[in-house]
Amino acid sequence: ADAVAILPAAGKGTRLGEAKQFLELGGVPLLVRAVERAAACSEIAAIVIAAPPGEEERVRDLLAAHGADAKLHAVVAGGAERADSVKAALRAAPAGLPMVAIHDAARPFATPELFTRVLEAARRTGAAVAALPCTDTVKRLEGSGVTTVDRRSLWLAQTPQCFRIEQLLRAYERAGNDVSVATDEAALIEALGEPVELVPGEKENFKVTDADDLRRARGMVEAPAA
Ligand code: CTP
Ligand code: MG
């Protein structure tokens, strides 16, 4: 095991209408499910969580209550933007682990094998991201002109996003204040002109963003596909 998993869980859930990390799916909070999936990957040695400021203790207690704290290393206060939360968690990562897997607490269904595959690619190339090919036809509207984008070159990014920690820290340094506007970590590596590998993601690994997503997630837990 050579990786720390970082789970940003400090969001406000604006689009859902309430903070979602603590909402339960079949009696288990979303955040706890995400942690369990990461912890089940044998290559992950430690887990650091960014919690809403003031809720660090609540997160520790929840994980302990669900027996999901075996690999927990630290719970830190998150920041205003997702990238700030990830940075805060990275600062609390244990020394001696060269790899990091960053995974949204709002994705409860990533398989441990997906973590393994993305980490494996990141060890090779420095940076790798789970992503799904775009299956919709995509239109671009500019002014009143509509064009069709060639979807064969389009991928929808998921997490885990995995990096050599040394490379990610370098990307943060170069990005300076631009870090906060990045909606994922891979964008910072791309800005350096360094390669990012796309690893086939998983359809079930969707992010719970709005009320429809929450219904879908609850449906999967209550009536799992055969
Ligand atoms: N996140 C975080 N710190 C922030 C913002 C987001 O740790 N300042 C985390 C969320 O808790 C979530 C993940 O980043 O696990 C993905 O973010 P998103 O789905 O956007 O969640 P929220 O920011 O909570 O939702 P919204 O954008 O609708 O407010
Ligand atoms: Mg958000």
Side-chain angles (χ1 to χ4, degrees):
D2 64 352
V4 56
I6 284 178
L7 280 88
K12 293 194 163 75
T14 316
R15 287 168 288 183
L16 182 66
E18 60 184 313
K20 58 207 179 195
Q21 48 277 61
F22 301 112
L23 293 179
E24 295 188 354
L25 304 180
V28 182
L30 216 65
L31 163 66
V32 174
R33 286 184 178 270
V35 168
E36 284 173 342
R37 294 305 181 94
C41 171
S42 60
E43 289 160 59
I44 288 171
I47 292 175
V48 179
I49 297 171
E55 308 237 53
E56 297 93 326
E57 201 57 45
R58 179 182 182 192
V59 166
R60 275 184 216 107
D61 290 348
L62 261 183
L63 289 174
H66 289 273
D69 59 348
K71 292 185 178 179
L72 185 64
H73 176 74
V75 180
V76 302
E81 302 296 336
R82 181 182 177 284
D84 302 317
S85 298
V86 172
K87 275 181 85 171
L90 204 51
R91 279 194 290 274
L97 297 174
M99 303 298 299
V100 60
I102 299 166
H103 184 59
D104 293 327
R107 294 183 190 270
F109 301 122
T111 64
E113 292 75 25
L114 183 60
F115 283 88
T116 299
R117 287 198 298 274
V118 182
L119 275 168
E120 203 261 321
R123 273 186 213 104
R124 237 181 317 107
T125 62
V129 173
L132 286 178
C134 178
T135 55
D136 288 329
T137 295
V138 179
K139 301 292 185 187
R140 174 181 283 128
L141 174 64
E142 275 167 324
S144 56
V146 171
T147 52
T148 301
V149 182
D150 184 356
R151 72 167 176 236
R152 288 172 300 181
S153 65
L154 296 182
W155 293 74
L156 306 175
Q158 301 186 330
T159 68
Q161 304 207 344
C162 300
F163 307 90
R164 294 187 197 128
I165 289 182
E166 153 280 307
Q167 186 177 10
L168 184 59
L169 291 177
R170 198 152 40 78
Y172 279 138
E173 217 167 277
R174 297 276 190 85
N177 292 331
D178 292 345
V179 165
S180 288
V181 301
T183 56
D184 76 354
E185 285 63 47
L188 304 172
I189 305 290
E190 296 153 22
L192 286 184
E194 292 177 13
V196 172
E197 183 166 330
L198 299 181
V199 175
E202 298 170 334
K203 275 197 166 174
E204 324 74 69
N205 180 31
F206 62 90
K207 182 161 68 71
V208 175
T209 302
D210 60 24
D212 282 335
D213 299 325
L214 183 61
R215 269 191 292 275
R216 180 178 170 201
R218 287 192 161 139
M220 283 171 62
V221 168
E222 283 147 27

